[in-house]
């Protein structure tokens, strides 16, 4: 079974996707981490994250090997054999990832890898929970369960700000709010695979509900779908 969870930054997707995967014994695939890793490769190579020259872009992509490892406590990601799971969470990478994700050649490559990894893990574990922006629309339009999570921009910025403060960052709430607004705009208005609600999606507004409830809603949708005769 494929469970696709999409939504904007800070909507609670990652926490929910991870918990749903744990409850069902499935693998959790964080597709944002893949775009972040490509962004890290851009930064390391000095290539501009916006409109890089075609030749240089092809060279960079050809030289990138991504490996995803699925541990009980989450997904680890390796760039050419090096574990970069921690390195891709900086503000610089977050900003670059949102630009790199608008490049069609990058998206094509990521979608291919996501389908390959998800199908392999589905065979092994019976199910996969993928989280991102275009999972239900582009990567797996025929996913058995599609979920779109959203919350007000202030609520999402508040959550992100709390998370950053826990990590001892001194970034202000206003800066986080500005970053999220800029990322929303790039996710929603980009030409290729913009953030959209897929057809047949379960919509969850996470502004005022507890994580436990969000997880329950997705698990219930998955169990109902598993009971239907064509799964
Ligand atoms: O979910 P995240 O913040 O880790 O994602 C990082 C960036 O990658 C974000 O700007 C949106 C982009 N992204 C995307 O375009 N498509 C996906 N399936 C996942 C992430």
């Amino acid at each position: 079974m494929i469970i696709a969870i999409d939504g904007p930054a800070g909507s609670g997707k990652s926490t929910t996707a991870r918990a749903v995967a744990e409850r069902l014994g499935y693998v959790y695939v964080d597709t944002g981490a893949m775009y972040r890793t490509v962004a890290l490769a851009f930064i390391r190579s000095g290539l501009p994250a916006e409109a890089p020259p075609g030749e240089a872009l092809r060279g960079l992509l050809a030289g990138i090997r991504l490996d995803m490892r699925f541990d009980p406590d989450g997904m680890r990601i390796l760039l050419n054999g090096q574990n970069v799971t921690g390195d891709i969470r900086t503000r610089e990478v977050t900003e670059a990832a949102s630009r790199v994700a608008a490049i069609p050649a990058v998206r094509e490559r990521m979608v291919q890898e996501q389908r390959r990894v998800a199908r392999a893990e589905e065979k092994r574990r019976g199910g996969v929970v993928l989280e991102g922006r275009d999972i239900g629309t582009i990567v797996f339009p025929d996913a058995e369960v599609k979920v779109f999570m959203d919350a007000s921009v202030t609520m999402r910025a508040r959550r992100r700000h709390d998370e950053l403060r826990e990590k001892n960052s001194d970034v202000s709430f206003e800066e986080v709010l500005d970053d999220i607004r800029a990322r929303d705009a790039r996710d929603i208005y980009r030409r290729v695979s913009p953030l959209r609600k897929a057809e047949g999606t379960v919509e969850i507004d996470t502004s005022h509900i507890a994580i436990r409830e969000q997880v329950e809603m997705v698990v219930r949708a998955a169990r109902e779908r598993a009971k239907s005769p064509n799964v």
Side-chain angles (χ1 to χ4, degrees), residues 9 13 30-33 35-36 89 94 97-98 101 107 114 131-135 160 183 187 190:
K13 289 179 313 241
D30 172 3
T31 63
Y35 287 94
R36 286 169 178 272
R89 298 290 154 192
T94 303
S98 140
R107 299 205 71 86
Q114 287 155 15
E131 170 245 307
R133 305 290 190 288
D134 61 340
I135 311 301
R160 205 26 73 85
R183 286 220 280 155
D187 284 350
R190 69 172 170 237

Side-chain angles (χ1 to χ4, degrees), residues 5-75:
I5 304 187
D6 291 305
S11 56
K13 289 179 313 241
S14 311
T15 316
T16 304
R18 192 177 291 116
V20 168
E22 201 181 317
R23 279 273 297 276
L24 299 173
Y26 291 174
V27 156
Y28 157 59
V29 180
D30 172 3
T31 63
M34 299 170 71
Y35 287 94
R36 286 169 178 272
T37 302
V38 173
L40 182 66
F42 266 74
I43 293 169
R44 287 184 176 170
S45 73
L47 204 62
E50 238 156 20
E55 190 87 354
L57 174 64
R58 273 192 294 280
L60 182 96
L61 288 176
I64 289 180
R65 202 186 79 234
L66 297 186
D67 290 297
M68 277 65 75
R69 301 277 157 79
F70 303 101
D71 300 333
D73 57 342
M75 185 182 103

Side-chain angles (χ1 to χ4, degrees), residues 126-142:
V128 182
V129 185
L130 292 106
E131 170 245 307
R133 305 290 190 288
D134 61 340
I135 311 301
T137 50
I138 305 286
V139 186
F140 286 111
D142 53 354

Side-chain angles (χ1 to χ4, degrees), residues 109-137:
R109 166 85 184 270
M110 292 303 103
V111 169
Q112 256 178 28
E113 300 230 4
Q114 287 155 15
R115 288 184 181 143
R116 180 183 54 75
V117 164
R119 288 301 182 203
E121 292 302 320
E122 186 189 22
K123 269 204 192 107
R124 221 192 322 252
R125 303 277 293 271
V128 182
V129 185
L130 292 106
E131 170 245 307
R133 305 290 190 288
D134 61 340
I135 311 301
T137 50

Side-chain angles (χ1 to χ4, degrees), residues 7-11 13 32 35-36 88-99 101 131 133 153 156 160 163-164 175-190 195:
S11 56
K13 289 179 313 241
Y35 287 94
R36 286 169 178 272
I88 57 171
R89 298 290 154 192
T90 64
R91 205 168 162 207
E92 187 191 11
V93 173
T94 303
E95 160 76 20
S98 140
R99 296 176 189 279
E131 170 245 307
R133 305 290 190 288
V153 69
R156 291 186 285 119
R160 205 26 73 85
E163 269 170 32
L164 290 167
E175 282 174 295
V176 176
L177 186 62
D178 283 351
D179 282 357
I180 289 212
R181 285 206 170 113
R183 286 220 280 155
D184 277 1
R186 284 197 288 266
D187 284 350
I188 295 166
Y189 298 115
R190 69 172 170 237
L195 176 64

